[in-house]
Amino acid sequence: MINLDLTGKHALVCGGSHGIGHAAALQLAAQGADITLLARSREALDAALATLPRRHDDQQHASIAVDMRDREALRAKVEATVNAHPVQILVNNTGGPPGGPAHLARPDEFLAAFEQHLIAAQILVQVLLPGMQGAGYGRIINVISTSVKEPIRNLGVSNTIRGATASWAKTLAGELAAHGITVNNVLPGFTRTRRIEQLVAERSASSGASREDIEAAMLAQVPAGRFAQAAEIANVIGFLASPAAAYVNGINLPVDGGRTQSL
Ligand SMILES: NC(=O)c1ccc[n+]([C@@H]2O[C@H](COP(=O)([O-])OP(=O)(O)OC[C@H]3O[C@@H](n4cnc5c(N)ncnc54)[C@H](OP(=O)(O)O)[C@@H]3O)[C@@H](O)[C@H]2O)c1
C-alpha cells in the first residue's frame, strides 16, 4: 500500500498563509505532519493556523512571521524553531515577482527576486540540513513555475529567477540523495490564488482588455479547460513529501492541466 503517512515529521511551509502554500500545509497536516507556517502577515498566519487539522493528539502546529528578504531575521527565527523541533520537510514557496517584460525590468527587481527566492531558499536549506541528515529523511520541495520548461511572456524577472532556482535544486538533489534527502520542484500551472488575480489585473491594466478576456485567453492554452485549485498542487506536494516518493529525486513536475508543451 502507498505510504503517505507523515506522523512524527515536521514540515516548514513557506508562504503558508495563502494560496498554494496554505493548501500544502492543509494537506501535510492531514497526512499527520506537524506544521510550521512562514509568511509576513501575522494576522494571515493566525487565520491559516486555525484551519490546520490535527490527526492525532500530539500533533502541533506553529507559525513564524518574517520577510524572506530579510536574511538575518529569516535565519534567526527559523534556527530558533529548528533547535526546538527539527524539520524534515521544507516547502520552499513564496510570493511571485511582479510581471512585465524582461527588457523593461530594473536591475534591482532581479536582485530583489533573487534574494526572496534563491538566497532565502539557500539559508533555509542550510539551517534545516543537519536535522534532515540526523533523521535520515529529508524532503525539499520547491514551488516554482512551468516557466522552468517554457518561459512565460511578460514574466521576465520571474522566468529568470525560476531557471536559477531549478538549476540550484537539481544540483542539490545530486549532493544530498545519499542522506535520504530528495529535492524536487513542483511547477504549478494557472492556479486560483491571489497571485493569479494579481497577474490578470496587471495584464488587464496594461493591455486595456477586460479581466474576463484575459482569463479566456489564458484558459485557451490549458487542455483541461480550467484553472487549478490550490489543493490540486498540494496533492502533489503531499506525495513528494511522503515516504512513498523516496526514489523521486531531482525532477521538475508540472501540475498544469497539460498546458506545458515540452516533454
Ligand atoms: N497561482 C498561480 O497560478 C501560480 C502559477 C505558477 C507559479 N506560481 C508560484 O507559486 C508561488 C505561490 O503562489 P500563490 O499563487 O500561492 O501566491 P499567493 O496566494 O499570493 O501566496 C503567497 C504566499 O507567500 C507569502 N509571501 C509573499 N512574499 C513573502 C515574503 N517576502 N516573505 C515571506 N512570505 C511571503 C504570502 O504571505 P505574506 O504576503 O503575508 O507574506 C503568502 O502566504 C509563487 O512563487 C507563484 O509565483 C503560482
Side-chain angles (χ1 to χ4, degrees):
M1 237 242 310
I2 182 166
N3 181 3
L4 300 175
D5 186 20
L6 296 177
T7 304
K9 305 276 192 305
H10 181 196
L12 175 63
V13 184
C14 303
S17 58
H18 286 286
I20 293 167
H22 179 224
L26 289 169
Q27 176 61 36
L28 297 173
Q31 288 174 232
D34 295 348
I35 306 294
T36 296
L37 303 172
L38 184 151
R40 291 169 299 181
S41 160
R42 167 50 56 203
E43 201 182 347
L45 282 168
D46 288 345
L49 201 54
T51 66
L52 298 182
R54 282 189 175 74
R55 231 187 56 190
H56 45 89
D57 287 345
D58 48 1
Q59 202 174 353
Q60 303 165 16
H61 305 312
S63 65
I64 300 173
V66 70
D67 187 333
M68 291 172 79
R69 290 185 196 171
D70 182 343
R71 289 187 201 186
E72 300 315 318
L74 180 67
R75 184 187 300 279
K77 290 192 179 190
V78 174
E79 257 172 8
T81 295
V82 167
N83 287 343
H85 191 181
V87 166
Q88 298 81 36
I89 300 163
L90 169 63
V91 179
N92 177 33
N93 171 63
T94 186
H103 72 279
L104 294 180
R106 286 176 290 104
D108 281 352
E109 291 180 58
F110 287 96
L111 279 178
F114 198 74
E115 185 82 44
Q116 184 180 339
H117 289 256
L118 197 57
I119 302 298
Q122 173 72 2
I123 289 170
L124 292 171
V125 166
Q126 287 184 332
V127 172
L128 268 45
L129 210 45
M132 293 183 181
Q133 287 169 325
Y137 190 101
R139 298 285 186 268
I140 298 169
I141 301 158
N142 305 299
V143 178
I144 316 187
S145 164
T146 56
S147 62
V148 165
K149 289 178 170 281
E150 292 173 358
I152 300 172
R153 284 182 73 118
N154 250 331
L155 285 179
V157 173
S158 179
N159 292 341
T160 307
I161 296 317
R162 309 303 190 172
T165 305
S167 290
W168 167 83
K170 185 71 180 171
T171 308
L172 280 182
E175 293 173 358
L176 302 178
H179 300 277
I181 299 170
T182 64
V183 187
N184 292 297
N185 303 326
V186 172
L187 316 181
F190 301 137
T191 309
R192 277 270 172 232
T193 66
R194 293 191 311 181
R195 167 75 173 165
I196 209 78
E197 306 299 336
Q198 173 205 335
L199 290 177
V200 168
E202 278 176 16
R203 283 179 199 174
S204 170
S206 65
S207 67
S210 70
R211 291 187 186 203
E212 291 72 22
D213 286 349
I214 302 277
E215 287 201 6
M218 291 166 82
L219 283 180
Q221 305 165 40
V222 183
R226 62 178 179 84
F227 288 168
Q229 297 299 321
E232 295 179 292
I233 314 300
N235 290 340
V236 175
I237 294 172
F239 170 68
L240 290 173
S242 75
Y247 207 59
V248 181
N249 192 25
I251 63 162
N252 287 305
L253 179 49
V255 188
D256 66 352
R259 178 168 58 86
T260 303
Q261 294 299 304
S262 64
L263 293 173

